[in-house]
Amino acid sequence: MMRATNPVLAGLGVAAAALAALATEPRVAVAGTATGESTYQSSCVACHGADGAGVLPGVPDLTSTDGPLALADAVLVKRIAEGFQSPGSPMAMPPRGGNPGLSDEDIKAVVRYMRQEFAIR
């Protein structure tokens, strides 16, 4: 005996599969907003590197147990927003990582991303 497929249930199955696929896709910035990852990739990676260890002399290692991520979020947000020069470093991070278009929300998102990505293990 053939079993009839309920078109409503079939449609729900397709919708559920699409939602599941979206949940596993990388987060993409919505027009006018950025994710922490996209902000890091566009404004931070050149100096801090894809792995967070720093690619230029004097750039702090974000993966170090006593590095910048050991500080409070408010301190990190302030340093990113205003710029900061680590003691003994020959260079300073410019305000907003050299990207004046970064909003305060973008900065908070990149701090969350760095904590997640470069968690001290």
Side-chain angles (χ1 to χ4, degrees), residues 8-98:
V8 173
L9 291 178
L12 288 174
V14 170
L19 286 173
L22 284 175
T24 61
E25 289 293 316
R27 289 181 36 193
V28 177
V30 177
T33 64
T35 64
E37 181 178 12
S38 67
T39 298
Y40 185 86
Q41 295 301 325
S42 66
S43 299
C44 310
V45 76
C47 296
H48 290 285
D51 64 357
V55 295
L56 300 171
V59 173
D61 181 350
L62 300 175
T63 66
S64 173
T65 56
D66 61 348
L69 296 181
L71 302 170
D73 284 1
V75 173
L76 293 174
V77 168
K78 180 177 177 10
R79 286 183 176 182
I80 294 169
E82 297 176 2
F84 182 77
Q85 185 163 1
S86 297
S89 176
M91 59 188 290
M93 180 180 70
R96 299 187 181 278

